[in-house]
Amino acid sequence: AQRWNMDLTGKMVDDHPEPERREFIIGNYRAVLSRREAMMVQGSRLLDGRQWNFDSVILPLATRDGVIEMLLICVEYHHTPR
């Protein structure tokens, strides 16, 4: 949160300030919900004038009867110097 000057902890995806990023995130969440399985996403973004790589994992958390109630998400950014 400190690195990107935005803290989205406890926020909804609709609160994300970048519309194109918001759509990317929603697409990933929908894929996890429809497939009913964890998903790993790798990619890169230009932030602060630098290229950052990221790894993320999205885990669906379900009740005993299989209802997905929550997604547990971890995103790790790492900068690779040129």
Side-chain angles (χ1 to χ4, degrees):
Q2 197 172 32
R3 179 180 293 157
W4 311 123
N5 294 320
M6 69 175 104
D7 185 1
L8 298 174
T9 304
K11 305 280 195 236
M12 304 299 283
V13 177
D14 289 338
D15 295 328
H16 198 289
E18 302 171 21
E20 65 283 348
R21 190 75 182 154
R22 194 168 44 233
E23 291 305 315
F24 174 77
I25 294 166
I26 290 171
N28 288 333
Y29 293 176
R30 285 183 176 147
V32 169
L33 292 171
S34 68
R35 295 178 190 151
R36 303 186 56 75
E37 63 184 20
M39 179 180 190
M40 181 175 174
V41 180
Q42 296 177 310
S44 62
R45 299 185 61 192
L46 184 65
L47 295 165
D48 296 336
R50 298 186 292 173
Q51 194 67 34
W52 291 84
N53 296 319
F54 69 87
D55 300 301
S56 66
V57 177
I58 306 167
L59 304 171
L61 303 179
T63 61
R64 289 180 188 219
D65 59 353
V67 176
I68 297 174
E69 291 188 332
M70 186 182 303
L71 298 176
L72 178 63
I73 300 125
C74 178
V75 182
E76 176 69 28
Y77 282 93
H78 41 96
H79 175 65
T80 306
R82 293 180 184 186

